[in-house]
Amino acid sequence: MTWLQALILGIVQGLTEFLPISSSGHLAIFQTVMGLSDENLTFAIAVHAATVLSIITVFGYEIRELIQGLFKFRWNDETQYISKLLLSMIPVGIIGFCFKDYVEAIFSGGLIWVGVMLLLTAVLLILTYYAKPRDKQQISFKDAIIIGIAQAIAIFPGLSRSGTTISTGIFLGNQKENVTRFSFLMVIIPILGEAFLDLLKGEFSVAQSGISTSSLLIGFLAAYIFGVIACKWMLNLVKKGKLIYFAFYCIAVALIIFGFSIFNL
């Protein structure tokens, strides 16, 4: 992987992790276009770590408040919120442990699956746009587990994690800003957990990855910087209710994928 490829993939990861257009799907697309047939696990771990760092940067104050509330050792608002976050992570943890190989097999099955899931993402965003607002003041424990199930389903390439979880939360009647914040915070531990498991398997190795240290650093910085930009942008877009524009984008990309797949039969 060259430094330019690392830069492009880092930008793609940073932007698409938060925007409702599927980071996994877009990475698969760009890797195919650039002739990178296999996912570089060392690079994947690095850019996902950059994604987590961007979340911590944007939500640093909220995270600090949650931690301070947790260490008061009381069943307060912060402790309840953290409990809901942990509850929401259970489904994706189960899917990750039990069905990871199956999902990776789908990744290797070509771009057609990505196109299908992008269309599904578009449908969710359109339905969210027309959903009747109910504006619950707090995300309930029941809502947390349902949103967690939505996150687990979004493990498929092309199905946007942020789009799926935010749409689900809005369908359940939660305020857009609250569910967006919850959606971004709930992904921190699953991303770090997956990276940690890869580290235990010895899959993080710059020397054996075929990528230089400079390229890895470029990819990391690109994912972090554009992750911060995309996270803040997404928060603003959700407030203004403009997610439907990304539905049109997903449809357009899906149609391009279908046309490309047919042309290359």
Side-chain angles (χ1 to χ4, degrees), residues 1-7 40 42-43 46-47 204-222:
M1 183 184 297
T2 67
W3 71 267
L4 181 58
Q5 290 172 328
L7 174 64
N40 189 302
T42 299
F43 182 79
V47 295
F204 186 91
S205 172
V206 178
Q208 299 178 12
S209 65
I211 180 173
S212 66
T213 303
S214 59
S215 294
L216 194 65
L217 180 61
I218 288 171
F220 178 89
L221 291 175

Side-chain angles (χ1 to χ4, degrees), residues 6 13 24 51 53-54 74 76 101 115 117 135 146 156 165 176 179 189 204 207 213 235 241:
Q13 169 64 31
S24 59
T51 299
L53 184 58
S54 64
R74 300 172 185 169
N76 50 31
D101 292 340
M117 292 300 161
D135 289 339
I146 295 174
F156 292 103
T165 53
K176 296 177 180 178
V179 76
I189 292 181
F204 186 91
T213 303
L235 290 169

